């Protein structure tokens, strides 16, 4: 961890010289540095900001045969949009490729370069659609909410306790292929460093009646409810085991959670376009993600 490394070195040196009384000088030395960081409250993320990304993903589909499916040019164009948006915000971006069904698929992974690299909190969403349509709720919505969260962390110049990582998965619709590939690509040590993975699939439908909270981690549920209860929004518990990208993480022993709603009249249909999603839903999803993500990662900001 960032702070304890210097703290331990300083405390040891002082203890050797002045013994028991050394605790006071050691504290005096470290407190001013620590006081520069204060807990950061997550912002309300406007739905309009997430809609900007959805509009771009919809355009990508329109320019590429109406779909962003694995193996189609609209998928690679979606990857390019996420990659260049992250790079413009100062992120280092890793595009991981894999092969599925004779076509190349891609994951996009980025990390905010602050906080303890051995304690990672990760958020992610699948970036591919089905061939039938542009996939704006499924799962442009999760992709856009995760992307706007990344941009929000960069704008806030957060100094979190934990490392904040972001993932966009390819080929989810053909069997969670991209997320499975990513998890498999991690060493046992790298898997252990991911303390929590939060997944977002179908979070933007304009008429969400009840926000589904993954049943996997009951200790994280109250944090989600903190957001939705404050807004007087209905929630329910959902078990999406095997049906979206948190599953490979969970199967690897990583703690998972997430939100979503599968009551979508345009599910896997051509009408899953911009008319299927709502600014209000995107704002709630993006802001709820920020609240849970910032809390789990120990979000702090520098003062002075
Ligand atoms: Zn999906």
């Amino acid at each position: 961890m960032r702070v304890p490394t210097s703290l331990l070195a300083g405390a040891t040196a002082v203890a050797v010289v002045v013994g028991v009384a050394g605790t006071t000088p050691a504290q005096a030395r470290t407190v001013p540095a620590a006081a520069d960081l204060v807990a950061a409250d997550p912002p309300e993320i406007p739905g309009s900001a997430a809609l900007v990304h959805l509009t771009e993903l919809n355009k990508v589909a329109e320019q590429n045969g109406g779909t962003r499916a694995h193996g189609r040019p609209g998928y690679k164009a979606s990857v390019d949009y996420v990659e260049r948006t992250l790079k413009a915000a100062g992120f280092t971006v890793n595009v991981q490729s894999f092969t599925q069904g004779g076509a190349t698929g891609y994951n996009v992974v980025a990390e905010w370069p602050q906080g303890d690299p051995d304690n990672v909190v990760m958020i992610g969403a699948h970036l591919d659609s089905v061939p039938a349509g542009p996939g704006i709720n499924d799962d442009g919505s999760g992709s856009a909410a995760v992307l706007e969260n990344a941009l929000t962390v960069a704008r806030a110049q957060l100094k979190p306790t934990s490392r904040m990582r972001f993932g966009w998965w390819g080929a989810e619709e053909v069997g969670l292929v991209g997320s499975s590939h990513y998890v498999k690509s991690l060493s046992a040590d790298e898997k252990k460093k991911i303390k929590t993975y939060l997944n977002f699939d179908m979070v933007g439908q304009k008429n969400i009646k009840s926000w589904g909270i993954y049943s996997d981690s009951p200790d994280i549920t109250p944090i989600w409810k903190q957001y939705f209860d404050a807004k007087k929004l209905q929630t329910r518990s959902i078990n999406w085991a095997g049906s979206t990208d948190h599953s490979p993480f969970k199967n690897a022993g990583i703690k998972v959670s997430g939100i979503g709603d599968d009551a979508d009249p345009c599910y896997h249909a051509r009408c899953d376009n911009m008319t299927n999603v709502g600014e209000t839903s995107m704002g709630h999803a993006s802001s709820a993600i920020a609240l849970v993500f910032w809390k789990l990662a120990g979000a702090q900001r520098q003062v002075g």
Side-chain angles (χ1 to χ4, degrees):
M1 282 171 71
R2 178 175 38 83
V3 174
T5 308
S6 56
L7 181 72
L8 286 173
T12 307
V14 171
V16 168
V17 177
V18 297
V20 175
T23 44
T24 306
Q27 281 166 1
R29 182 185 302 177
T30 54
V31 163
D36 289 343
L37 293 174
V38 297
D41 290 327
E44 287 277 332
I45 296 179
S48 55
L51 280 188
V52 169
H53 307 310
L54 283 179
T55 301
E56 288 300 318
L57 292 175
N58 192 57
K59 199 187 295 175
V60 156
E62 283 176 351
Q63 291 168 346
N64 289 282
T67 179
R68 300 183 304 103
H70 169 69
R72 306 289 186 88
Y75 183 68
K76 184 55 165 59
S78 302
V79 167
D80 293 344
Y81 172 70
V82 171
E83 183 183 11
R84 75 170 174 267
T85 304
L86 288 167
K87 282 184 171 167
F91 283 92
T92 302
V93 183
N94 175 27
V95 178
Q96 181 185 45
S97 63
F98 56 89
T99 304
Q100 170 64 26
T104 305
Y106 306 91
N107 295 324
V108 182
V109 178
E111 197 169 85
W112 181 239
Q114 298 286 341
D116 181 3
D118 293 340
N119 282 288
V120 178
V121 181
M122 185 169 196
I123 64 175
H126 74 85
L127 189 54
D128 63 318
S129 72
V130 291
I136 295 306
N137 184 39
D138 185 11
D139 185 26
S141 63
S143 294
V146 171
L147 182 54
E148 191 53 33
N149 262 274
L151 302 186
T152 301
V153 167
R155 273 185 222 113
Q157 290 292 303
L158 281 190
K159 309 266 183 198
T161 315
S162 299
R163 192 56 66 102
M164 300 170 106
R165 190 181 296 171
F166 308 84
W168 292 263
W169 314 120
E172 188 267 0
E173 298 288 7
V174 291
L176 321 182
V177 177
S179 55
S180 299
H181 178 81
Y182 173 76
V183 171
K184 263 183 241 153
S185 76
L186 299 172
S187 68
D189 196 43
E190 287 168 325
K191 276 178 210 161
K192 229 178 282 170
K193 290 177 184 175
I194 304 177
K195 303 306 175 187
T196 310
Y197 170 72
L198 305 175
N199 192 65
F200 306 101
D201 198 352
M202 305 176 75
V203 295
Q205 213 282 328
K206 64 186 174 191
N207 295 319
I208 293 182
K209 299 278 185 285
S210 168
W211 289 82
I213 301 172
Y214 293 14
S215 57
D216 305 86
S217 296
D219 55 326
I220 298 181
T221 299
I223 318 177
W224 290 118
K225 285 181 69 71
Q226 188 186 321
Y227 180 85
F228 293 109
D229 289 355
K231 304 284 180 187
K232 301 197 175 354
L233 296 167
Q234 200 182 315
T235 58
R236 69 188 193 282
S237 180
I238 54 173
N239 180 353
W240 283 3
S243 57
T244 187
D245 294 302
H246 65 300
S247 291
F249 288 86
K250 184 169 186 170
N251 293 342
I254 295 166
K255 187 180 184 66
V256 297
S257 186
I259 52 172
D261 175 44
D262 56 3
D264 181 352
C266 287
Y267 177 67
H268 286 183
R270 181 186 271 189
C271 63
D272 185 11
N273 54 30
M274 291 303 288
T275 65
N276 191 36
V277 291
E279 183 174 336
T280 303
S281 295
M282 287 306 300
H284 286 320
S286 305
S287 301
I289 292 168
L291 188 150
V292 175
F293 189 34
W294 286 37
K295 184 154 197 160
L296 294 179
Q300 303 175 103
R301 61 186 170 82
Q302 194 117 29
V303 288

